[in-house]
Amino acid sequence: MPRLSVFNSPLLLGFDHFEQVLDRVSKSSAEGYPPYNIEQLAQNRLRISLAVAGFSMDDLAVTIEDNQLMVRGKNTQDDSDRIFIHRGIAARQFQRSFVLAEGVEVTGARLEKGLLHVDLELPIPETQVRQIPIEDMERPHVPTNAKTIDVKPE
């Protein structure tokens, strides 16, 4: 059964890219490891915190690929000589991606008490108003809202 698109309206022109982004997000959000929080620090600042207990700085990588923030973890610790009675602490490799809106900047990342914090800054949108001239087809190349001056020859 075909999926109905939210962007199917004739009033939403040029939003095909958003539909592709939503598809990508829905596919990547199925994985639940590692758990994370997203908090708003200020009007234009966010922080993503991922629970990465057991991972060292060398095991983690934060990259930006196109408009996706990618966080990867690969535990390089060799546990082959250890015998576990119960192993409840996940130490498997992971890849978590977040789709970033255009203009969002990653301002830093730090590892603190088993949490990887990634700070983001959102652009402050500027309101733009632009006048579009309307061309009068009865008088080509003269916009209707342009001023004309009649000059009589002497």
Side-chain angles (χ1 to χ4, degrees):
M1 182 167 135
R3 186 175 66 93
L4 291 176
S5 173
V6 176
F7 301 102
N8 214 6
S9 170
L11 301 174
L12 298 173
L13 302 174
F15 285 89
D16 300 341
H17 173 71
F18 289 112
E19 188 168 14
Q20 293 169 357
V21 169
L22 288 174
D23 284 342
R24 201 176 327 152
V25 167
S26 66
K27 288 176 187 172
S28 68
S29 65
E31 176 74 23
Y33 179 78
Y36 65 92
N37 291 337
I38 301 176
E39 60 184 304
Q40 185 169 1
L41 304 176
Q43 183 178 356
N44 66 329
R45 290 184 34 230
L46 299 175
R47 174 175 291 153
I48 301 171
S49 299
L50 294 99
V52 291
F55 288 87
S56 70
M57 294 276 289
D58 296 333
D59 298 334
L60 299 169
V62 178
T63 59
I64 298 174
E65 300 172 15
D66 294 326
N67 63 333
Q68 282 192 309
L69 170 67
M70 302 294 288
V71 181
R72 293 181 177 92
K74 184 173 183 180
N75 198 332
T76 57
Q77 189 177 24
D78 184 19
D79 290 335
S80 60
D81 60 336
R82 299 168 71 184
I83 300 171
F84 291 94
I85 305 291
H86 171 76
R87 188 166 191 170
I89 300 172
R92 64 181 189 257
Q93 66 181 5
F94 68 87
Q95 176 175 304
R96 174 70 79 174
S97 65
F98 301 89
V99 178
L100 302 176
E102 193 163 322
V104 173
E105 290 290 324
V106 176
T107 58
R110 68 179 193 283
L111 184 61
E112 178 184 7
K113 297 180 182 177
L115 294 174
L116 176 63
H117 300 291
V118 181
D119 293 330
L120 308 170
E121 191 163 322
L122 292 90
I124 299 173
E126 297 177 15
T127 304
Q128 295 181 348
V129 177
R130 193 172 59 138
Q131 182 74 30
I132 308 298
I134 302 171
E135 187 175 330
D136 185 350
M137 295 310 291
E138 293 175 12
R139 296 188 302 173
H141 307 295
V142 178
T144 58
N145 50 352
K147 295 182 180 177
T148 58
I149 301 173
D150 291 332
V151 178
K152 295 180 183 179
E154 292 182 24

